[in-house]
Amino acid sequence: MCKTDKFLYHRKLWEIKVRLLGDDSKVENLRNSLVSRSPMSLWMIRAVSVLLLWSCFVHLMALGDMWGPRLFNGWPSCFSQRGLSKALEMKSLPAKIALPPKRVYHNNGYLMVSCNGGLNQMRAAICDMVTVARYMNVTLIVPELDKTSFWNDPSEFKDIFDVDHFISSLRDEVRILKELPPRVKKRVELGMHHEMPPISWSNMSYYQNQILPLVKKHKVLHLNKTDSRLANNGLPLEVQKLRCRVNFNGLKFTPQIEELGRRVVNILREKGPFLVLHLRYEMDMLAFSGCSHGCNPEEEEELTRMRYAYPWWKEKVIDSEVKRKEGLCPLTPEETALTLTALGIDRNVQIYIAAGEIYGGERRMKALTDAFPNVVRKETILESSDLDFCRNHSSQMAALDYLVAVESDIFVPTYDGNMARVVEGHRRFLGFKKTIQLNRKFLVKLIDEYTQGLLTWDVFSSMVKAFHSTRMGSPKRRLVIPNKPKEEDYFYSNPQECLQLLDEPLRVI
């Protein structure tokens, strides 16, 4: 039915209704008012309406092209397939993050650094070298990672860390480049630069007074060792806070490692709380430390041969039992099982082993798995193909364990190596998450007394619990020992300058 027919129909209907009410005068008035509107006026109204509708349609088309992916995301495309593809493309793009403004400063030269050691030793070194570069007003080249250590990992910085985030997130502090500019690179290739190891545990005046003049003189300085080259204490507050900022914000693992870490954590969380056990009982650890308690004669001989095979492991003749009683050996799997049980850890809790291959395999792990049947590893909860990209890359595997350890309900390291200390500090930064700091010297003495029948289980357990009740990662001051930096608390295990008590509001560094 056309609009004119509709109009006549409704007019007739109204007249009938009025007549039924018995009022003919209203019918006549209605007819006169309708007839008074000329056909020309009606045509004009229709024309204007059509123009308005067409104008709205054209504007909607333009808005669809410009804003469609944002405003109509998820709507069926009634305009074009191009609009739909744009919407899908926009949806896949990551959200843009506002970058800090670049810090403008006179560049005193270029600093190249070669990190040494395992992942977490290199992580701490990177934080130190960024801080040193910032306060010397130099340009830092993305650090080179260790490829010649025992682990023989060929991973580059970009294979482990998000290099673009590293550069952009710190640009308001220091200029960082992926590589030297071509002209400067040519100078380095011709040997026109200076290379040296800085002195360990140095303060900022050392870098300002001795290292900076070398940078200005040679234009390019290569620091070929970076482990523990900055002091734990006695540094300005802004220096310590920058070390934290690099550690907790500037250093992110690659998206692939981060995603896999989230997946492992989600798998564990679906089954309840979980404990991460940094069971430092790999072959290299035992060979390096000379700790062979619980090993058979063949294993002891194998560990000794390995220790002599690496010339940079300087200590060769080691009395394993003496070292163990001094608390300088990692706990064995058997000692760890006794300790966790004595601490009252639920036997049904999931225990994720953050470590490499345990020396002695299932034979040495039996006591632990008997006491805690829900022991898992990344290799047992992921598909083999999930780990293909990082297989035979120990630092990438360690990065995955680091992510899981930081997120765990409880973290228990059996040796105070670099991973144990750096993870402990990160968990403090996240709100003093529970980290049980085992005192190995105390424990091995108690374990020996218990196994010899000198202590009952109840006495043994109560003594273990009482001693460790204040060693759970709660707030404390860092222990400072003047002129003995190796014996005092490590900065990265307790970065107190960057922490707040639990009742204080969160501070953004």
Side-chain angles (χ1 to χ4, degrees), residues 173-232:
E173 294 286 357
V174 64
R175 184 184 181 216
I176 304 174
L177 300 179
K178 292 182 181 179
E179 59 181 6
L180 289 166
R183 177 180 57 81
V184 182
K185 188 176 182 180
K186 187 68 175 177
R187 287 172 54 92
V188 172
E189 291 171 352
L190 294 172
M192 300 170 64
H193 71 291
H194 187 66
E195 183 172 338
M196 62 173 288
I199 296 175
S200 299
W201 312 110
S202 298
N203 56 29
M204 293 308 294
S205 62
Y206 165 77
Y207 287 97
Q208 288 286 347
N209 299 332
Q210 297 189 46
I211 300 299
L212 181 56
L214 292 173
V215 179
K216 290 180 176 179
K217 177 181 178 180
H218 299 280
K219 302 304 178 187
V220 180
L221 178 65
H222 180 197
L223 299 181
N224 53 22
K225 283 191 179 295
T226 56
D227 58 311
S228 304
R229 305 294 154 158
L230 199 55
N232 292 315

Side-chain angles (χ1 to χ4, degrees), residues 401-421:
D401 283 343
Y402 183 98
L403 289 170
V404 182
V406 166
E407 291 295 326
S408 64
D409 297 283
I410 305 174
F411 176 58
V412 183
T414 60
Y415 186 74
D416 54 355
N418 288 293
M419 177 171 175
R421 294 185 293 176

Side-chain angles (χ1 to χ4, degrees), residues 343-384:
L343 285 168
I345 301 298
D346 186 348
R347 128 177 204 90
N348 295 312
V349 74
Q350 298 174 96
I351 296 183
Y352 175 93
I353 304 295
E357 184 178 352
I358 302 303
Y359 191 59
E362 293 183 7
R363 174 178 63 85
R364 297 303 303 273
M365 287 292 289
K366 187 177 185 306
L368 184 62
T369 54
D370 284 349
F372 298 93
N374 294 321
V375 172
V376 299
R377 303 173 59 92
K378 50 187 170 291
E379 294 86 355
T380 62
I381 60 178
L382 292 171
E383 297 292 334
S384 178

